[in-house]
Amino acid sequence: MKMKVENLSVARGGVPVLEGLNFTLAPGQVLILRGPNGSGKTTLLRTLAGLQPPIAGAISADPENITYGAHADGLKATLTVEENLTFWASVHGIDTIAPAVEGFNLSGLTHRPSANLSAGQKRRLGLARLLVTGRPIWLLDEPTVSLDVASVGLFADAVRAHVAGGGAALIATHIDLGIDADTLDIGPFRADPKRGRDVQHRDGYADFDEAFL
Amino acid sequence: MIALLIRDMRLAMRAGGGFGLGLAFFLIVSTLVPFGVGPEAAILSRIAPGILWVGALLACLLSLDRIFQLDFEDGSLDLLATAPIPMEGTVAIKALAHWLVTGLPLTLAAPAFGALMNLQSPGHFWIFVTLLIGTPALSMIGAFGAALTVGLKRGGLLLSLLVLPLYIPTLIFGAEAATRGTAGLSALTPLLMMAGITAGSIALLPFAAAAALRINLR
């Protein structure tokens, strides 16, 4: 499942942040997204995940093949580790959570409510969710925040196993994961925020949207 | 979708989930009204259907902002939006879960609480039937309002202002049907009007709410 991005422009809150972005993400490839804070990494990932429409350009990937790992882990504090994972597994039609539990070293924690986990353990649980989605393209937004060195190692192993199985990953991160990867620096694609949204790209939603901006 | 329903029910039942909040509020209203209005049985039994309906409606309103807000805050809503379940399905399931933990208990409790206001037979039957038909509309309309206000911090006030006018037709027809039924008159017309509102809400509002959610997630 290849993702090809052509001439993509993305906006946050109606202000363009990136434009003219071209890249491909092939099966078996890891692409590291680099850029300073506020450069539009999260906006780009959310656009690619289908959570917001691009203001220009095309993304040749079905959102059904993409899973998005955000800053927030999407965990329910009153549910146990097992219940959280089982929920996401059954939403995605996956039968077993065992590989995800093993892969992120959560075996001893399965019956603990996620409210009682440490920040790093929560993050590991959030990342374990990726393994129960069964989707080939991972879009990850700073996945290693609050992970210790050993857990970053577990995460790198999970990414390696994922791409070895034909998956792909686009990871926004500031650290070196020790994975064989290509780098995409989004610095040169920064949009001019003063220019605003092009008139010809206004779609039917645009006016409706503005009520919410 | 079943998994989402089970999760939402489980979350509601766990500590801090809000199950029982609406029911407790409803009980408080039903208990306090006789003290406020006075003990004349005739007056109480005349206003009982309307008071029960208003109480149920306000109890329903109390927990609306939880439908999407908690999922929005912890990031689950983003993940649900990218999950294989269509957004319309997510909205419908969440409204159903809200009804199961709020509307349905209110419906079941209302005939019993009616006793506190000297509700006369066959009023128990009519309050049960009208709430059973009407409360799904309250949950669905509420889910739509919650979807519109999901990104707002402390959006509860705006949510109430948005949703209350939309609740008024359901309230008028529901209370009218219950009052007429209790008085032994034909309640068919308001009952059918209310059923129409419920059916229309369930058919249309998931799409509107899903569109509002998609925009709020951008």
Side-chain angles (χ1 to χ4, degrees):
Chain A
M1 189 65 222
K2 189 170 172 174
M3 179 161 76
K4 193 157 188 250
V5 168
E6 287 177 273
N7 195 28
L8 186 75
S9 297
V10 301
R12 180 177 167 84
V15 180
V17 289
L18 293 171
E19 61 186 5
L21 205 58
N22 292 289
F23 66 90
T24 50
L25 184 64
Q29 189 185 9
V30 178
L31 199 55
I32 302 288
L33 199 56
R34 300 271 186 205
N37 292 144
S39 58
K41 298 188 292 297
T42 298
T43 308
L44 174 62
L45 290 174
R46 289 181 69 85
T47 308
L48 294 174
L51 287 169
Q52 61 180 73
I55 53 174
I59 304 160
S60 75
D62 185 353
E64 293 290 306
N65 288 316
I66 295 173
T67 188
Y68 171 54
H71 286 285
D73 291 314
L75 303 175
K76 289 297 173 191
T78 50
L79 297 185
T80 64
V81 169
E82 189 179 5
E83 286 167 339
N84 270 303
L85 271 183
T86 307
F87 166 67
W88 290 113
S90 44
V91 163
H92 288 88
I94 303 284
D95 298 326
T96 172
I97 61 165
V101 170
E102 296 295 320
F104 284 94
N105 192 22
L106 295 164
S107 315
L109 305 168
T110 45
H111 295 294
R112 203 186 283 190
S114 54
N116 299 348
L117 298 181
S118 77
Q121 288 168 333
K122 278 184 193 156
R123 191 80 246 201
R124 266 165 34 213
L125 175 54
L127 292 171
R129 186 191 61 85
L130 298 168
L131 296 176
V132 298
T133 59
R135 291 188 164 181
I137 301 174
W138 289 0
L139 304 177
L140 305 179
D141 199 352
E142 307 208 18
T144 57
V145 171
S146 66
L147 290 185
D148 59 14
V149 176
S151 301
V152 171
L154 287 177
F155 167 66
D157 289 343
V159 173
R160 275 189 214 103
H162 177 65
V163 295
L170 178 61
I171 306 172
T173 183
H174 298 291
I175 69 162
D176 182 16
L177 295 170
I179 302 174
D180 184 22
D182 303 308
T183 300
L184 173 69
D185 184 0
I186 59 168
F189 301 101
R190 180 174 288 235
D192 177 7
K194 285 202 246 1
R195 198 169 58 232
R197 189 184 281 210
D198 287 351
V199 175
Q200 72 258 32
H201 292 129
R202 291 181 73 91
D203 53 18
Y205 274 119
D207 294 323
F208 188 41
D209 283 9
E210 276 166 15
F212 291 86
L213 293 177
Chain B
M1 299 241 269
I2 301 295
L4 180 59
L5 182 65
I6 293 170
R7 182 194 77 147
D8 272 19
M9 299 286 290
R10 192 179 271 161
L11 285 172
M13 302 295 177
R14 296 264 160 102
F19 178 74
L21 177 72
L23 207 55
F25 178 83
F26 191 36
L27 176 62
I28 291 168
V29 171
S30 315
T31 316
L32 291 186
V33 165
F35 289 114
V37 174
E40 287 111 302
I43 293 177
L44 276 177
S45 60
R46 199 163 64 79
I47 63 170
I51 295 291
L52 286 170
W53 250 94
V54 171
L57 185 146
L58 291 175
C60 220
L61 196 66
L62 213 55
S63 51
L64 283 183
D65 61 335
R66 304 180 68 93
I67 297 182
F68 297 114
Q69 191 65 31
L70 298 178
D71 278 342
F72 179 79
E73 281 166 6
D74 67 17
S76 305
L77 205 55
D78 280 345
L79 302 178
L80 282 172
T82 56
I85 305 175
M87 202 60 141
E88 289 78 6
T90 303
V91 171
I93 290 292
K94 285 192 153 289
L96 174 63
H98 180 262
W99 181 73
L100 287 174
V101 298
T102 311
L104 187 62
L106 291 177
T107 304
L108 295 173
F113 291 176
L116 294 168
M117 275 177 283
N118 193 30
L119 186 69
Q120 299 295 311
S121 166
H124 303 94
F125 169 75
W126 282 104
I127 200 75
F128 176 78
V129 168
T130 53
L131 282 177
L132 189 66
I133 297 174
T135 45
L138 300 184
S139 287
M140 196 62 244
I141 294 169
F144 171 58
L148 282 173
T149 56
V150 73
L152 304 172
K153 294 263 180 260
R154 308 253 163 234
L157 173 65
L158 185 59
L159 174 61
S160 311
L161 290 175
L162 274 173
V163 159
L164 273 177
L166 301 175
Y167 273 2
I168 287 175
T170 310
L171 174 65
I172 291 174
F173 291 122
E176 177 68 10
T179 308
R180 290 179 72 93
T182 306
L185 303 167
S186 165
L188 189 65
T189 309
L191 203 61
L192 286 178
M193 292 296 282
M194 185 178 61
I197 292 170
T198 302
S201 306
I202 293 171
L204 299 175
L205 288 180
F207 297 95
L213 276 183
R214 284 197 194 96
I215 288 169
N216 274 327
L217 285 180
R218 283 179 190 175

mmCIF file of all heavy atoms in Angstrom, chain A residues 16-49:
data_model
loop_
_atom_site.group_PDB
_atom_site.id
_atom_site.type_symbol
_atom_site.label_atom_id
_atom_site.label_comp_id
_atom_site.label_asym_id
_atom_site.label_seq_id
_atom_site.Cartn_x
_atom_site.Cartn_y
_atom_site.Cartn_z
ATOM 1 N N PRO A 16 -2.640 28.784 5.978
ATOM 2 C CA PRO A 16 -1.787 27.764 5.364
ATOM 3 C C PRO A 16 -0.467 27.645 6.123
ATOM 4 O O PRO A 16 0.119 28.658 6.499
ATOM 5 C CB PRO A 16 -1.532 28.308 3.950
ATOM 6 C CG PRO A 16 -2.539 29.366 3.734
ATOM 7 C CD PRO A 16 -2.895 29.916 5.075
ATOM 8 N N VAL A 17 -0.034 26.401 6.378
ATOM 9 C CA VAL A 17 1.237 26.215 7.080
ATOM 10 C C VAL A 17 2.283 25.529 6.203
ATOM 11 O O VAL A 17 3.476 25.790 6.355
ATOM 12 C CB VAL A 17 1.077 25.456 8.406
ATOM 13 C CG1 VAL A 17 0.384 26.309 9.442
ATOM 14 C CG2 VAL A 17 0.352 24.154 8.224
ATOM 15 N N LEU A 18 1.857 24.669 5.299
ATOM 16 C CA LEU A 18 2.801 23.986 4.414
ATOM 17 C C LEU A 18 2.229 24.001 3.010
ATOM 18 O O LEU A 18 1.015 23.891 2.828
ATOM 19 C CB LEU A 18 2.998 22.526 4.843
ATOM 20 C CG LEU A 18 3.681 22.259 6.172
ATOM 21 C CD1 LEU A 18 3.577 20.789 6.523
ATOM 22 C CD2 LEU A 18 5.138 22.696 6.130
ATOM 23 N N GLU A 19 3.096 24.111 2.009
ATOM 24 C CA GLU A 19 2.596 24.043 0.639
ATOM 25 C C GLU A 19 3.617 23.395 -0.281
ATOM 26 O O GLU A 19 4.810 23.368 0.019
ATOM 27 C CB GLU A 19 2.207 25.433 0.128
ATOM 28 C CG GLU A 19 3.349 26.417 0.086
ATOM 29 C CD GLU A 19 2.899 27.830 -0.281
ATOM 30 O OE1 GLU A 19 1.690 28.060 -0.401
ATOM 31 O OE2 GLU A 19 3.783 28.681 -0.432
ATOM 32 N N GLY A 20 3.116 22.844 -1.371
ATOM 33 C CA GLY A 20 3.974 22.251 -2.393
ATOM 34 C C GLY A 20 4.719 21.022 -1.940
ATOM 35 O O GLY A 20 5.838 20.753 -2.372
ATOM 36 N N LEU A 21 4.095 20.233 -1.068
ATOM 37 C CA LEU A 21 4.774 19.073 -0.503
ATOM 38 C C LEU A 21 4.587 17.861 -1.428
ATOM 39 O O LEU A 21 3.471 17.525 -1.804
ATOM 40 C CB LEU A 21 4.142 18.793 0.857
ATOM 41 C CG LEU A 21 4.933 18.079 1.919
ATOM 42 C CD1 LEU A 21 6.213 18.811 2.246
ATOM 43 C CD2 LEU A 21 4.082 17.955 3.168
ATOM 44 N N ASN A 22 5.722 17.233 -1.826
ATOM 45 C CA ASN A 22 5.670 16.020 -2.639
ATOM 46 C C ASN A 22 6.510 14.939 -1.982
ATOM 47 O O ASN A 22 7.662 15.193 -1.660
ATOM 48 C CB ASN A 22 6.256 16.261 -4.039
ATOM 49 C CG ASN A 22 5.386 17.186 -4.855
ATOM 50 O OD1 ASN A 22 4.301 16.809 -5.284
ATOM 51 N ND2 ASN A 22 5.857 18.412 -5.040
ATOM 52 N N PHE A 23 5.947 13.775 -1.769
ATOM 53 C CA PHE A 23 6.767 12.638 -1.333
ATOM 54 C C PHE A 23 5.973 11.351 -1.516
ATOM 55 O O PHE A 23 4.760 11.379 -1.732
ATOM 56 C CB PHE A 23 7.220 12.790 0.127
ATOM 57 C CG PHE A 23 6.126 12.739 1.151
ATOM 58 C CD1 PHE A 23 5.737 11.530 1.715
ATOM 59 C CD2 PHE A 23 5.464 13.900 1.556
ATOM 60 C CE1 PHE A 23 4.732 11.482 2.666
ATOM 61 C CE2 PHE A 23 4.467 13.849 2.506
ATOM 62 C CZ PHE A 23 4.098 12.643 3.057
ATOM 63 N N THR A 24 6.694 10.242 -1.470
ATOM 64 C CA THR A 24 6.004 8.953 -1.501
ATOM 65 C C THR A 24 6.456 8.137 -0.302
ATOM 66 O O THR A 24 7.578 8.276 0.171
ATOM 67 C CB THR A 24 6.331 8.136 -2.773
ATOM 68 O OG1 THR A 24 7.736 8.108 -2.923
ATOM 69 C CG2 THR A 24 5.680 8.716 -3.998
ATOM 70 N N LEU A 25 5.561 7.327 0.172
ATOM 71 C CA LEU A 25 5.844 6.417 1.271
ATOM 72 C C LEU A 25 5.512 5.021 0.755
ATOM 73 O O LEU A 25 4.355 4.687 0.549
ATOM 74 C CB LEU A 25 4.979 6.781 2.482
ATOM 75 C CG LEU A 25 5.202 5.995 3.762
ATOM 76 C CD1 LEU A 25 6.598 6.217 4.313
ATOM 77 C CD2 LEU A 25 4.172 6.396 4.810
ATOM 78 N N ALA A 26 6.568 4.237 0.503
ATOM 79 C CA ALA A 26 6.372 2.921 -0.092
ATOM 80 C C ALA A 26 6.280 1.865 1.001
ATOM 81 O O ALA A 26 6.752 2.086 2.117
ATOM 82 C CB ALA A 26 7.539 2.616 -1.029
ATOM 83 N N PRO A 27 5.692 0.704 0.700
ATOM 84 C CA PRO A 27 5.684 -0.387 1.686
ATOM 85 C C PRO A 27 7.113 -0.739 2.086
ATOM 86 O O PRO A 27 8.004 -0.786 1.246
ATOM 87 C CB PRO A 27 5.032 -1.547 0.924
ATOM 88 C CG PRO A 27 4.234 -0.897 -0.137
ATOM 89 C CD PRO A 27 4.953 0.363 -0.513
ATOM 90 N N GLY A 28 7.323 -0.956 3.355
ATOM 91 C CA GLY A 28 8.657 -1.273 3.839
ATOM 92 C C GLY A 28 9.507 -0.053 4.147
ATOM 93 O O GLY A 28 10.657 -0.185 4.532
ATOM 94 N N GLN A 29 8.945 1.113 3.972
ATOM 95 C CA GLN A 29 9.725 2.333 4.171
ATOM 96 C C GLN A 29 9.349 3.034 5.481
ATOM 97 O O GLN A 29 8.175 3.041 5.871
ATOM 98 C CB GLN A 29 9.473 3.294 3.001
ATOM 99 C CG GLN A 29 10.415 4.495 3.005
ATOM 100 C CD GLN A 29 10.061 5.500 1.909
ATOM 101 O OE1 GLN A 29 9.031 5.401 1.246
ATOM 102 N NE2 GLN A 29 10.940 6.464 1.714
ATOM 103 N N VAL A 30 10.357 3.593 6.152
ATOM 104 C CA VAL A 30 10.101 4.462 7.301
ATOM 105 C C VAL A 30 10.564 5.852 6.920
ATOM 106 O O VAL A 30 11.684 6.032 6.432
ATOM 107 C CB VAL A 30 10.865 3.989 8.549
ATOM 108 C CG1 VAL A 30 10.606 4.942 9.712
ATOM 109 C CG2 VAL A 30 10.457 2.584 8.923
ATOM 110 N N LEU A 31 9.700 6.822 7.090
ATOM 111 C CA LEU A 31 10.033 8.199 6.758
ATOM 112 C C LEU A 31 9.957 9.003 8.041
ATOM 113 O O LEU A 31 8.940 8.975 8.741
ATOM 114 C CB LEU A 31 9.020 8.702 5.732
ATOM 115 C CG LEU A 31 9.369 9.930 4.890
ATOM 116 C CD1 LEU A 31 10.682 9.736 4.155
ATOM 117 C CD2 LEU A 31 8.244 10.174 3.883
ATOM 118 N N ILE A 32 11.063 9.662 8.371
ATOM 119 C CA ILE A 32 11.087 10.480 9.581
ATOM 120 C C ILE A 32 10.788 11.924 9.192
ATOM 121 O O ILE A 32 11.405 12.476 8.290
ATOM 122 C CB ILE A 32 12.478 10.412 10.259
ATOM 123 C CG1 ILE A 32 12.850 8.971 10.597
ATOM 124 C CG2 ILE A 32 12.504 11.292 11.499
ATOM 125 C CD1 ILE A 32 12.099 8.369 11.734
ATOM 126 N N LEU A 33 9.808 12.486 9.862
ATOM 127 C CA LEU A 33 9.379 13.852 9.573
ATOM 128 C C LEU A 33 10.130 14.790 10.512
ATOM 129 O O LEU A 33 10.001 14.669 11.729
ATOM 130 C CB LEU A 33 7.878 13.923 9.809
ATOM 131 C CG LEU A 33 7.052 15.037 9.200
ATOM 132 C CD1 LEU A 33 7.226 15.065 7.701
ATOM 133 C CD2 LEU A 33 5.592 14.809 9.549
ATOM 134 N N ARG A 34 10.913 15.682 9.927
ATOM 135 C CA ARG A 34 11.670 16.614 10.756
ATOM 136 C C ARG A 34 11.180 18.028 10.525
ATOM 137 O O ARG A 34 10.774 18.391 9.422
ATOM 138 C CB ARG A 34 13.151 16.570 10.395
ATOM 139 C CG ARG A 34 13.795 15.209 10.579
ATOM 140 C CD ARG A 34 14.341 15.037 11.968
ATOM 141 N NE ARG A 34 15.079 13.774 12.053
ATOM 142 C CZ ARG A 34 15.258 13.102 13.180
ATOM 143 N NH1 ARG A 34 14.772 13.549 14.318
ATOM 144 N NH2 ARG A 34 15.923 11.975 13.185
ATOM 145 N N GLY A 35 11.278 18.824 11.547
ATOM 146 C CA GLY A 35 10.887 20.226 11.430
ATOM 147 C C GLY A 35 10.790 20.807 12.815
ATOM 148 O O GLY A 35 10.474 20.084 13.763
ATOM 149 N N PRO A 36 11.076 22.091 12.967
ATOM 150 C CA PRO A 36 11.005 22.689 14.300
ATOM 151 C C PRO A 36 9.579 22.727 14.830
ATOM 152 O O PRO A 36 8.623 22.502 14.080
ATOM 153 C CB PRO A 36 11.545 24.109 14.072
ATOM 154 C CG PRO A 36 11.425 24.355 12.615
ATOM 155 C CD PRO A 36 11.481 23.035 11.933
ATOM 156 N N ASN A 37 9.433 23.032 16.110
ATOM 157 C CA ASN A 37 8.100 23.150 16.714
ATOM 158 C C ASN A 37 7.285 24.170 15.935
ATOM 159 O O ASN A 37 7.785 25.221 15.550
ATOM 160 C CB ASN A 37 8.200 23.627 18.169
ATOM 161 C CG ASN A 37 8.841 22.591 19.068
ATOM 162 O OD1 ASN A 37 9.566 22.922 19.977
ATOM 163 N ND2 ASN A 37 8.575 21.320 18.815
ATOM 164 N N GLY A 38 6.032 23.849 15.720
ATOM 165 C CA GLY A 38 5.150 24.797 15.050
ATOM 166 C C GLY A 38 5.315 24.840 13.550
ATOM 167 O O GLY A 38 4.749 25.700 12.885
ATOM 168 N N SER A 39 6.076 23.889 12.993
ATOM 169 C CA SER A 39 6.301 23.952 11.550
ATOM 170 C C SER A 39 5.197 23.256 10.763
ATOM 171 O O SER A 39 5.159 23.341 9.544
ATOM 172 C CB SER A 39 7.656 23.343 11.207
ATOM 173 O OG SER A 39 7.719 22.009 11.657
ATOM 174 N N GLY A 40 4.285 22.564 11.454
ATOM 175 C CA GLY A 40 3.145 21.971 10.745
ATOM 176 C C GLY A 40 3.191 20.460 10.638
ATOM 177 O O GLY A 40 2.476 19.876 9.838
ATOM 178 N N LYS A 41 4.005 19.809 11.478
ATOM 179 C CA LYS A 41 4.096 18.349 11.402
ATOM 180 C C LYS A 41 2.759 17.701 11.768
ATOM 181 O O LYS A 41 2.267 16.823 11.067
ATOM 182 C CB LYS A 41 5.197 17.828 12.343
ATOM 183 C CG LYS A 41 6.593 18.327 12.012
ATOM 184 C CD LYS A 41 7.653 17.641 12.852
ATOM 185 C CE LYS A 41 7.582 18.009 14.314
ATOM 186 N NZ LYS A 41 7.837 19.440 14.582
ATOM 187 N N THR A 42 2.186 18.161 12.879
ATOM 188 C CA THR A 42 0.919 17.585 13.323
ATOM 189 C C THR A 42 -0.185 17.863 12.308
ATOM 190 O O THR A 42 -0.981 16.972 11.977
ATOM 191 C CB THR A 42 0.535 18.173 14.696
ATOM 192 O OG1 THR A 42 1.542 17.815 15.632
ATOM 193 C CG2 THR A 42 -0.796 17.618 15.173
ATOM 194 N N THR A 43 -0.208 19.098 11.780
ATOM 195 C CA THR A 43 -1.217 19.440 10.785
ATOM 196 C C THR A 43 -1.093 18.537 9.563
ATOM 197 O O THR A 43 -2.091 18.047 9.024
ATOM 198 C CB THR A 43 -1.062 20.914 10.380
ATOM 199 O OG1 THR A 43 -1.053 21.703 11.556
ATOM 200 C CG2 THR A 43 -2.187 21.356 9.473
ATOM 201 N N LEU A 44 0.163 18.309 9.133
ATOM 202 C CA LEU A 44 0.381 17.435 7.981
ATOM 203 C C LEU A 44 -0.131 16.024 8.277
ATOM 204 O O LEU A 44 -0.838 15.421 7.470
ATOM 205 C CB LEU A 44 1.876 17.410 7.633
ATOM 206 C CG LEU A 44 2.288 16.419 6.539
ATOM 207 C CD1 LEU A 44 1.608 16.761 5.232
ATOM 208 C CD2 LEU A 44 3.794 16.401 6.366
ATOM 209 N N LEU A 45 0.217 15.505 9.456
ATOM 210 C CA LEU A 45 -0.187 14.134 9.790
ATOM 211 C C LEU A 45 -1.707 14.024 9.876
ATOM 212 O O LEU A 45 -2.295 13.047 9.417
ATOM 213 C CB LEU A 45 0.462 13.704 11.109
ATOM 214 C CG LEU A 45 1.972 13.477 11.046
ATOM 215 C CD1 LEU A 45 2.532 13.200 12.426
ATOM 216 C CD2 LEU A 45 2.313 12.326 10.116
ATOM 217 N N ARG A 46 -2.353 15.033 10.471
ATOM 218 C CA ARG A 46 -3.818 15.001 10.576
ATOM 219 C C ARG A 46 -4.468 15.057 9.197
ATOM 220 O O ARG A 46 -5.496 14.431 8.955
ATOM 221 C CB ARG A 46 -4.326 16.161 11.437
ATOM 222 C CG ARG A 46 -3.995 16.008 12.915
ATOM 223 C CD ARG A 46 -4.544 17.181 13.708
ATOM 224 N NE ARG A 46 -5.986 17.183 13.762
ATOM 225 C CZ ARG A 46 -6.703 16.505 14.650
ATOM 226 N NH1 ARG A 46 -6.104 15.797 15.569
ATOM 227 N NH2 ARG A 46 -8.001 16.535 14.619
ATOM 228 N N THR A 47 -3.860 15.831 8.298
ATOM 229 C CA THR A 47 -4.398 15.906 6.935
ATOM 230 C C THR A 47 -4.250 14.556 6.241
ATOM 231 O O THR A 47 -5.189 14.066 5.597
ATOM 232 C CB THR A 47 -3.667 17.000 6.138
ATOM 233 O OG1 THR A 47 -3.699 18.208 6.874
ATOM 234 C CG2 THR A 47 -4.325 17.209 4.789
ATOM 235 N N LEU A 48 -3.060 13.948 6.382
ATOM 236 C CA LEU A 48 -2.831 12.657 5.739
ATOM 237 C C LEU A 48 -3.762 11.594 6.298
ATOM 238 O O LEU A 48 -4.218 10.706 5.595
ATOM 239 C CB LEU A 48 -1.375 12.216 5.932
ATOM 240 C CG LEU A 48 -0.318 13.081 5.248
ATOM 241 C CD1 LEU A 48 1.073 12.626 5.638
ATOM 242 C CD2 LEU A 48 -0.480 13.037 3.742
ATOM 243 N N ALA A 49 -4.087 11.713 7.607
ATOM 244 C CA ALA A 49 -4.965 10.726 8.243
ATOM 245 C C ALA A 49 -6.426 10.927 7.846
ATOM 246 O O ALA A 49 -7.270 10.115 8.181
ATOM 247 C CB ALA A 49 -4.824 10.805 9.759
#
